[in-house]
Amino acid sequence: MLAKTYGCAVFGVSANLITIETHVGQGSKCYLVGLPDSTIKESIQRVESALKNNGFFFPRRKVIINLAPADIRKEGSAYDLPIALSILEASEQVELKGLEDYVIMGELALDGTIRPIKGALPIALEAKSRGISKLILPEENAIEAAMVEGIEVFGLSHLRETIQFIRGKIALEPTQVNVHALFNQTHDQFDVDFSQVQGQESVKRAFEIAAAGGHNLIMIGPPGAGKTMLAKRLPTILPPFSLTEALEVTKIHSVAGKLMGKHSLLTHRPFRCPHHTISNAALVGGGSFPQPGEISLAHHGVLFLDELPEFNRNALEVMRQPLEDRKVFISRAKWSLEFPANFMLVASMNPCPCGYYNHPNKDCVCGPGQVQRYLNRISGPLLDRIDMHIEIVPVHFEEMSKERAAESSEHVRKRVIDARIIQQNRFIPYPKIHSNAMMSSQQVNEFCHLDEPSQQLLSVAMDKLQLSARAYDKIRKVARTIADLAKSENIFSEHIAEAITYRNLDRENWAG
């Protein structure tokens, strides 16, 4: 007898509908076909134990399980549940009418417990696009999948319960999620705040500009100056997620297996802080079973690289192209895919190996040439792609001991949102451009006109600092953001002057 149901193969950040067909006939061997990986091949043992421990049996006849289309690679343990149900139907142990009406996914424990899976949100989106309105998923994944409107998601915890439900022996209500209420409930709640940072007013100003324009930023300063503390508070002054952005980022984290239980919708912009020992594939994505890397997990959020010179140089270099394209293309001989990577890069570094070069109170103990060799660990092309370079100095005791509270994130965020609204109106003819940092050279020339004094000031800076053409555009982009914060339609010389101060590492003989 032949039984059929549906599942989904997650590939990249999307899914493909998979038909699970099971035939039980004459013979004595089990065949699992359709390009399964080793994890799916092992599912036969898990399914057999789960069936036996729940009063059923695995047929001792010829069993053919086909995962179609056969030319799409399938991987993971999420096919256990649909395979088990199709075997029960095909072997006539249980009559499961309507099995073809569902997309079913779930990993089985040996006792029949259904374990959570990755990629529930893209699975739900694919089911809806294919006209299938009913999903059976692990209980832990139900809220995540139920965020897709127009489908019924049933979260189940055990094989026996699933069989009873499909047979109509028990009635279950589909999981209901009020996405808008869930989104609005927590999108403006943070554990940290800019008011907790005493001093560093010039650095806070730079962070406000970076947030307003979506600019990449690097901080250079001694240990304990507050670089990490400031970076962790950057998401609190970024504009809040739109619901579309939240769902887009949630889908990426779903594929990576970062969502479980009640936290099934990301309402805050992500903040990713990988360790400097991270590999190339873990940073940009890929691997034998392609997964999104840290730059994709930071999509619409912040990627913080602490102690930048300590990162593997190759890992940093492969990040150069995604910084420009805001997406990652991963190609292999038999497949290729694309991961989104529209993130803000925030990096920090010490000025030298000992950390105290240019320190106002402590002496640097590094030998001749060590400072320059340390800075040279970061390539010029990568540094050129970072819009703002900020030098941080330690906070004096008087500043740290002040009882007066600093400006809160909420007040800064209001100014940032106002500047972003100006940019949204400016870029209406360009739907793919959302902030000043995303402007192309053509758009920079269109929207960043300079008057004569500003042009002369920038010309002197270009000549003295030996800036590249890319740095020239970066300065004009940052100046455009400064003007937007000031609600100025035109860019003036004071905006250009401030933007030039955020190119500290371009100064001649900075480490000399």
Side-chain angles (χ1 to χ4, degrees), residues 475-496:
I475 289 175
R476 290 196 290 169
K477 288 180 184 180
V478 173
R480 178 68 270 171
T481 301
I482 295 170
D484 290 342
L485 282 168
K487 298 183 179 179
S488 171
E489 185 175 346
N490 300 316
I491 298 175
F492 297 111
S493 56
E494 59 265 27
H495 305 142
I496 288 289

Side-chain angles (χ1 to χ4, degrees), residues 41-225:
K41 292 176 181 176
E42 292 171 353
S43 68
I44 299 301
Q45 282 70 42
R46 292 192 296 272
V47 168
E48 182 176 3
S49 296
L51 292 178
K52 287 183 177 179
N53 287 323
N54 286 278
F56 303 103
F57 63 88
F58 194 93
R60 297 305 172 192
R61 300 165 66 188
K62 186 176 182 179
V63 179
I64 301 175
I65 303 166
N66 180 38
L67 308 177
D71 61 342
I72 295 178
R73 184 174 60 172
K74 294 87 180 176
E75 58 191 43
S77 57
Y79 297 89
D80 293 359
L81 182 58
I83 287 175
L85 295 172
S86 63
I87 287 175
L88 290 175
E89 168 74 5
S91 62
E92 300 181 330
Q93 297 181 61
V94 179
E95 185 178 3
L96 299 174
K97 289 184 178 179
L99 192 61
E100 298 181 17
D101 298 335
Y102 295 90
V103 167
I104 304 173
M105 296 294 280
E107 178 185 341
L108 285 177
L110 300 186
D111 63 353
T113 301
I114 302 175
R115 290 174 171 156
I117 62 172
K118 297 179 181 179
L121 184 54
I123 287 171
L125 291 168
E126 173 67 6
K128 181 180 179 180
S129 70
R130 293 301 190 99
I132 300 176
S133 61
K134 297 180 180 180
L135 272 74
I136 293 177
L137 294 174
E139 193 173 23
E140 291 88 339
N141 299 114
I143 296 177
E144 177 186 337
M147 289 188 294
V148 179
E149 296 180 352
I151 60 173
E152 295 180 347
V153 180
F154 300 95
L156 297 166
S157 59
H158 201 276
L159 174 61
R160 191 183 303 109
E161 180 188 16
T162 307
I163 295 170
Q164 294 291 86
F165 169 68
I166 296 176
R167 295 184 67 192
K169 301 295 184 181
I170 58 174
L172 295 175
E173 291 294 324
T175 302
Q176 299 290 335
V177 176
N178 188 331
V179 179
H180 294 277
L182 182 64
F183 176 72
N184 294 326
Q185 185 177 1
T186 59
H187 79 278
D188 59 350
Q189 298 176 5
F190 298 94
D191 296 328
V192 295
D193 195 274
F194 252 59
S195 62
Q196 299 161 348
V197 181
Q198 295 290 352
Q200 301 291 17
E201 298 304 323
S202 61
V203 183
K204 291 179 186 177
R205 165 67 175 172
F207 268 73
E208 180 179 339
I209 295 169
H215 301 290
N216 299 324
L217 176 149
I218 184 171
M219 298 173 282
I220 181 167

Side-chain angles (χ1 to χ4, degrees), residues 140 143-144 182 259-265:
E140 291 88 339
I143 296 177
E144 177 186 337
L182 182 64
L259 300 177
M260 292 295 169
K262 296 181 180 179
H263 303 287
S264 297
L265 177 66

Side-chain angles (χ1 to χ4, degrees), residues 398-416:
E398 291 78 8
E399 286 286 342
M400 288 188 292
S401 58
K402 282 183 178 178
E403 295 184 1
R404 177 177 57 86
E407 189 176 29
S408 69
S409 294
E410 183 180 359
H411 288 105
V412 179
R413 186 166 63 248
K414 287 179 180 178
R415 295 195 296 268
V416 169

Side-chain angles (χ1 to χ4, degrees), residues 226-277:
K227 301 187 292 294
T228 303
M229 184 180 186
L230 285 159
K232 288 182 177 179
R233 283 154 179 77
L234 178 58
T236 68
I237 64 170
L238 289 173
F241 263 151
S242 67
L243 184 56
T244 301
E245 288 177 330
L247 290 171
E248 187 179 346
V249 175
T250 299
K251 185 166 71 169
I252 299 171
H253 284 247
S254 172
V255 169
K258 305 294 184 183
L259 300 177
M260 292 295 169
K262 296 181 180 179
H263 303 287
S264 297
L265 177 66
L266 293 180
T267 56
H268 294 156
R269 294 188 180 272
F271 179 85
R272 305 295 298 181
C273 182
H275 193 261
H276 63 260
T277 57

